[in-house]
Amino acid sequence: MARGKLRIYLGAAPGVGKTYAMLSEAHRRMERGTDLVVGFVEHHGRPRTEVMLHGLEHIARRELAYRGTSFTEMDVDAVLARRPAVALVDELAHTNVPGSRNAKRWQDIEELLEAGVDVISTVNIQHLESLGDVVESITGVRQQETVPDEVVRRADQIELVDMSPQALRRRMAHGNVYTSDKVDAALSNYFRPGNLTALRELALLWVADRVDEYLQAYRAEHSIRSTWQARERIVVGLTGGPEGRTLIRRAARMAAKGSGSEVLAVYIARSDGLTSASPKELAVQRTLVEDLGGTFHHVIGDDIPSALLEFARGVNATQIVLGSSRRKAWQYVFGPGVGATVARDSGPDLDVHIVTHEEAAKGRGLPVARGARLGRARIVAGWLVGVAGPVLLSLLLTGIDTGPGLANDVLLFLFLTVVAALLGGQLPALASAAVGSLLLNFYFTPPTHTLTVSDPKNIVAIAIFFAVAVSVASVVDLAARRTHQAARLRAESEILSFLAGSVLRGETTLNALLERVRETFAMDTVVLLERGSEVEPWTCAGRAGSGDDSRPPARPEDADVDMPVGDHMALALTGRVLPAEDRRVLAAFAAQAAVVLDRQRLVGEAERARELAEGNRIRTALLAAVSHDLRTPLASIKASVTSLRSDDVAWSEEDEKELLAGIEAGADRLDHLVGNLLDMSRLQTGTVTPLIREIDLDEVVPMALGGVPEGSVTLDIPEELPIVAVDPGLLERSVANLVENAVKYSPEGKTVLVSASALGDRVELRIVDRGPGVPDSAKDRIFAPFQRYGDSPRGAGVGLGLAVARGFAESMGGTLAAEDTPGGGMTMVLTLRAAAGHPPVRADLPARAVT
């Protein structure tokens, strides 16, 4: 059975109309005869959305009982039994009630898709898992219901439902999103123009990336090599020279002129894996391009222009930024240079920008190390000069009536031998010496046109020529090899120096180091393997790259290259076999990888040790609290009980009542202190498991006021508040601690105000006192365990009330913060999540739909 198709309406913000758009699509499909049902759609009390549900077949929801309350969720079994062609399932990120078939609604949708049912769903951009931190930093609200990005990316169609911030705010002001009593609070908090603009940009960029994935896949499937300028992508060609920073900044300025533009910096290294560029300078340029929002890429290629153009076309780039050549004028005799070649071969779809800089025409500041091979072009040129050159020289000299003489002829042939050695190495030079000797004998030593030499002096001259030619070829080749080795050793030393420095400074993680190994040696996959003993299997401690086969080598012997590190660790590389001369550098990388792994583990152990030390500090403070703060109520209880049991004193009825009241007060105080200590212990050990249910605030808050004097608190809890999703027990403890703290510091005759209001998808509970307040520098410190602010007496508690309140609030997905009360005092703001799908006021349906 074919898998069903998923279509998602992605909303830029709540209220933009994604559910309305989904229902409009449903009506269009119904008119075309599509078998369609409503699996689960929530209209949130919005009249126009509710009208759109008319005329659609609804699958009855499944009722679930949880903690004494009845809830409804989509009945997956009923939808599967009905087996429609299309099912509408709203709110992709919704969390199902405990006891449901699946924990999340997107898992329900997966079952429908596997059964061959097409699904249309909705989700807001703020519910994507990867954007949770970003959305929280923008709006100040942490989304508790999220959906993995991959679930949305796998959708067959994604349609963005967007609206300008001004238009959305007008919709809200007209009452089309929330009821009138919530509009002002929503517009001044979550739905501020800046928040909406940022959310809109997030949605547009996320969908643009998704569209770009489709485009790349389409181009790959159809083997399209030309550039489609749907989006500006600027490739910066780096040489590792100092001009790279100028090029990166220039490309960043170009990208800033167009929204959505990308900067991709690329360094082309030769196939031997070692570079002549400074690793330190490349690291600086990598950091710079990443700080400016771009990406850095390391590409292997012997032909730099071809590799650069191949990379640019592979990423669908539209522009290439190169620096003016650092060559001096005379060096252009060896070729036009990279910039001119790229500009010539780029074609009409790639714009090439040549940027001037301070290093232009000053010569290369970095030594150009020879590769392991001279390159095909140089070898061919060496053989042409070594073989064809003497022949052409012979034809030229024989065409001259009076030649320069045998001595000059020998020098000219010797010059060709030297040139052949410089270009092609030793073999072309030896061939040039042999061919030159034969031609000197045949054309220029009497008798000519024969291989016979009549004059012994000429035999000596030819022999000396051959010997000198061979010697010169050997010396030139040896010098070239020494130059190559020196450049290679310098590159190695720079790599190792930078590597050691970065590792010692702690700047390199294990995965970053392995990625560096992969790039340096042009490998597909690099894996660090380890095992506890000779008989235990190998385990992967870290890896980089993927290669053609997504499975990394499980054993060192399965890899193309393995480098042991001690007895029970090895670095395994796949992609190609390395030459022996590269293994020295690889051994250094392997040793550093072991050091980095050990350091990471030590950091983890240090963190665990810090947590243990914090636990010890808490226990020490707990013992101090038990020995001091708990002794006071115990002593009071003990004294009262001893007095009551005394036979030598006749207590009056009033005295007995007073002593019993003292015992009760001490016991209550002791119970409160012990409760806070136990709660703090649960928070520290991570054993607090909230049981979330939907409940009204006015059912919980009054119960939290039992421990404060009557008349000391004023309640302002509107009846039309949304239902909140909380653990009632934890909420009651949090509110009780906050109210008791506020009453304790309030002046005589001043009541504490406890008020609540709705702000979008959250509810704020404010506990306002008129006490001395707390300066800004101490507002966070007062929430730390065993902290008492100012001159609070020792008997006032162990300093855990606010710490417990914040811990419980965060465990329920809420927040607790301290603010200044206008006119003096402190306000505790407890933010809670409103329950989804329970609007406070249900609007009447209009007579007809209005669009």
Side-chain angles (χ1 to χ4, degrees):
M1 179 182 297
R3 176 182 169 87
K5 294 184 177 181
L6 175 61
R7 177 169 183 166
I8 294 178
Y9 285 90
L10 179 65
V16 295
K18 61 186 184 302
T19 303
Y20 191 93
M22 177 182 69
L23 295 174
S24 298
E25 174 66 17
H27 282 286
R28 285 193 292 270
R29 296 199 182 195
M30 288 279 291
E31 292 173 358
R32 296 196 298 265
T34 302
D35 182 18
L36 181 145
V37 300
V38 176
F40 190 100
V41 173
E42 189 63 62
H43 56 76
H44 298 291
R46 296 167 186 168
R48 297 181 181 180
T49 303
E50 191 169 0
V51 167
M52 294 296 292
L53 286 168
H54 295 174
L56 300 177
E57 178 184 350
H58 294 253
I59 300 295
R61 299 182 184 182
R62 180 185 177 190
E63 292 190 3
L64 295 170
Y66 178 67
R67 302 189 70 175
T69 304
S70 180
F71 302 90
T72 61
E73 295 287 359
M74 181 176 67
D75 193 337
V76 180
D77 291 326
V79 177
L80 292 175
R82 171 64 173 76
R83 195 169 292 279
V86 180
L88 304 184
V89 184
D90 203 6
E91 298 178 356
L92 183 66
H94 172 75
T95 301
N96 292 331
V97 174
S100 300
R101 184 189 189 97
N102 296 299
K104 303 288 287 187
R105 183 163 292 164
W106 64 263
Q107 296 171 328
D108 295 338
I109 292 176
E110 281 294 317
E111 288 196 34
L112 299 181
L113 295 174
E114 290 296 333
V117 178
D118 293 347
V119 177
I120 304 178
S121 187
T122 64
V123 70
N124 281 331
I125 190 68
Q126 69 264 26
H127 293 294
L128 295 182
E129 198 168 76
S130 66
L131 300 178
D133 294 339
V134 180
V135 173
E136 182 180 11
S137 66
I138 294 171
T139 64
V141 178
R142 181 69 180 187
Q143 299 295 330
Q144 300 300 319
E145 292 191 328
T146 60
V147 59
D149 289 42
E150 185 58 30
V151 173
V152 183
R153 288 185 181 277
R154 286 201 305 263
D156 299 277
Q157 297 181 59
I158 299 177
E159 183 170 333
L160 177 65
V161 183
D162 186 25
M163 182 177 291
S164 69
Q166 294 77 11
L168 180 55
R169 286 171 61 84
R170 282 196 300 270
R171 286 195 64 191
M172 296 195 64
H174 294 159
N176 295 331
V177 180
Y178 294 128
T179 54
S180 58
D181 60 313
K182 297 182 180 179
V183 170
D184 291 339
L187 291 176
S188 60
N189 288 274
Y190 192 92
F191 289 86
R192 293 192 297 267
N195 289 0
L196 297 178
T197 302
L199 291 174
R200 188 185 192 195
E201 183 177 12
L202 279 178
L204 290 171
L205 291 176
W206 195 93
V207 173
D209 287 338
R210 172 65 171 161
V211 173
D212 190 60
E213 291 176 9
Y214 281 130
L215 179 61
Q216 296 287 5
Y218 180 85
R219 283 164 49 83
E221 291 173 1
H222 294 79
S223 301
I224 298 174
R225 303 296 299 161
S226 61
T227 300
W228 288 4
Q229 299 185 4
R231 183 177 183 180
E232 289 292 338
R233 284 187 176 84
I234 304 172
V235 172
V236 185
L238 302 178
T239 65
E243 77 281 359
R245 306 181 199 183
T246 301
L247 303 184
I248 292 171
R249 293 188 180 98
R250 181 73 177 98
R253 290 196 298 271
M254 294 168 59
K257 295 179 180 178
S259 180
S261 300
E262 292 183 59
V263 175
L264 302 92
V266 58
Y267 173 73
I268 311 293
R270 296 189 181 277
S271 59
D272 61 2
L274 293 173
T275 70
S276 61
S278 167
K280 181 177 181 180
E281 180 63 28
L282 283 178
V284 171
Q285 293 176 15
R286 177 197 290 265
T287 303
L288 176 61
V289 71
E290 290 174 351
D291 289 344
L292 293 175
T295 56
F296 184 91
H297 303 268
H298 197 119
V299 176
I300 305 300
D302 288 320
D303 188 344
I304 293 178
S306 298
L308 182 60
L309 288 171
E310 185 74 15
F311 174 82
R313 293 192 175 101
V315 299
N316 198 28
T318 57
Q319 301 180 59
I320 297 178
V321 176
L322 299 173
S324 298
S325 177
R326 286 182 283 133
R327 290 180 172 188
K328 292 186 178 296
W330 61 270
Q331 292 177 313
Y332 282 96
V333 299
F334 299 108
V338 174
T341 304
V342 171
R344 181 192 65 202
D345 298 338
S346 62
D349 52 353
L350 267 175
D351 297 334
V352 179
H353 303 267
I354 306 297
V355 179
T356 59
H357 50 85
E358 294 180 354
E359 303 297 323
K362 290 185 178 180
R364 294 189 176 273
L366 295 171
V368 181
R370 288 172 176 258
R373 297 175 290 120
L374 292 174
R376 181 176 299 177
R378 290 192 59 177
I379 292 175
V380 171
W383 280 103
L384 287 175
V385 172
V387 176
V391 175
L392 295 176
L393 180 60
S394 299
L395 295 176
L396 178 62
L397 293 177
T398 54
I400 301 175
D401 293 336
T402 58
L406 182 60
N408 291 325
D409 293 338
V410 170
L411 291 176
L412 290 173
F413 278 95
L414 185 60
F415 172 75
L416 291 178
T417 302
V418 173
V419 173
L422 290 172
L423 290 176
Q426 190 172 21
L427 290 179
L430 293 177
S432 177
V435 173
S437 299
L438 291 175
L439 292 175
L440 282 172
N441 185 5
F442 191 80
Y443 287 106
F444 303 106
T445 58
T448 59
H449 301 92
T450 66
L451 296 177
T452 303
V453 181
S454 59
D455 190 347
K457 295 180 181 180
N458 293 335
I459 296 177
V460 174
I462 293 175
I464 292 174
F465 162 75
F466 185 79
V468 171
V470 171
S471 300
V472 169
S474 300
V475 170
V476 171
D477 182 71
L478 181 61
R481 290 178 183 273
R482 291 290 183 265
T483 302
H484 163 64
Q485 291 174 0
R488 181 185 181 87
L489 290 174
R490 177 178 176 180
E492 289 182 8
S493 65
E494 289 177 344
I495 289 175
L496 295 177
S497 175
F498 174 71
L499 172 66
S502 62
V503 171
L504 290 175
R505 291 190 299 269
E507 299 173 353
T508 304
T509 63
L510 180 60
N511 289 339
L513 179 62
L514 296 180
E515 180 63 25
R516 175 83 183 191
V517 175
R518 190 189 68 81
E519 291 182 350
T520 299
F521 296 99
M523 288 295 184
D524 293 333
T525 306
V526 179
V527 183
L528 183 63
L529 301 173
E530 65 172 348
R531 60 181 178 180
S533 64
E534 297 291 341
V535 296
E536 294 183 16
W538 291 95
T539 59
C540 178
R543 63 169 295 185
S546 57
D548 297 331
D549 187 358
S550 60
R551 297 179 58 188
R555 302 176 302 169
E557 50 266 30
D558 296 336
D560 296 321
V561 182
D562 69 281
M563 176 60 63
V565 188
D567 296 332
H568 305 301
M569 190 176 294
L571 199 62
L573 300 87
T574 60
R576 66 188 179 98
V577 178
L578 286 181
E581 58 187 356
D582 285 351
R583 294 184 66 86
R584 180 175 65 254
V585 179
L586 181 60
F589 272 108
Q592 295 288 11
V595 171
V596 172
L597 180 61
D598 289 341
R599 190 183 68 244
Q600 287 184 353
R601 288 174 175 171
L602 288 174
V603 170
E605 293 176 1
E607 179 63 24
R608 288 190 291 273
R610 188 195 64 78
E611 293 175 356
L612 291 175
E614 178 66 16
N616 289 333
R617 188 190 69 81
I618 297 261
R619 282 190 288 273
T620 301
L622 177 60
L623 291 174
V626 170
S627 62
H628 292 282
D629 296 297
L630 300 186
R631 181 176 296 174
T632 301
L634 284 174
S636 174
I637 294 173
K638 175 68 175 176
S640 298
V641 171
T642 302
S643 299
L644 287 174
R645 297 187 62 185
S646 176
D647 296 332
D648 55 353
V649 178
W651 300 102
S652 65
E653 184 176 353
E654 290 76 10
D655 292 335
E656 289 182 355
K657 289 182 179 180
E658 184 177 351
L659 290 173
L660 290 173
I663 294 173
E664 183 178 13
D668 290 340
R669 183 174 171 188
L670 187 62
D671 178 70
H672 179 71
L673 292 175
V674 172
N676 276 340
L677 290 172
L678 293 176
D679 290 340
M680 197 67 230
S681 176
R682 292 168 60 198
L683 289 171
Q684 291 291 334
T685 57
T687 58
V688 176
T689 304
L691 300 176
I692 303 299
R693 56 173 290 192
E694 297 178 356
I695 194 169
D696 286 321
L697 274 182
D698 55 9
E699 297 180 26
V700 178
V701 174
M703 298 173 61
L705 307 182
V708 297
E710 187 176 353
S712 61
V713 178
T714 301
L715 278 180
D716 181 16
I717 309 294
E719 295 182 358
E720 64 272 13
L721 277 178
I723 294 175
V724 292
V726 296
D727 183 312
L730 298 184
L731 177 60
E732 181 182 343
R733 291 299 304 274
S734 298
V735 175
N737 284 352
L738 294 175
V739 171
E740 289 177 10
N741 186 77
V743 170
K744 182 194 310 179
Y745 288 101
S746 290
E748 188 71 24
K750 296 288 186 180
T751 61
V752 172
L753 173 63
V754 179
S755 64
S757 60
L759 299 173
D761 57 354
R762 57 181 177 168
V763 174
E764 283 190 353
L765 186 67
R766 293 177 173 266
I767 296 89
V768 183
D769 67 60
R770 294 293 178 178
V774 175
D776 292 340
S777 59
K779 279 188 172 61
D780 286 332
R781 194 167 67 248
I782 61 175
F783 292 103
F786 304 104
Q787 296 291 321
R788 281 186 295 264
Y789 178 70
D791 56 355
S792 179
R794 291 294 299 174
V798 294
L800 287 176
L802 296 183
V804 169
R806 172 175 275 189
F808 283 171
E810 292 177 348
S811 69
M812 295 183 294
T815 61
L816 176 61
E819 298 179 357
D820 291 330
T821 301
M826 187 169 64
T827 299
M828 290 292 178
V829 182
L830 178 61
T831 304
L832 305 170
R833 291 186 298 117
H838 292 276
V841 178
R842 183 181 179 89
D844 295 331
L845 288 176
R848 59 187 181 87
V850 180
T851 59

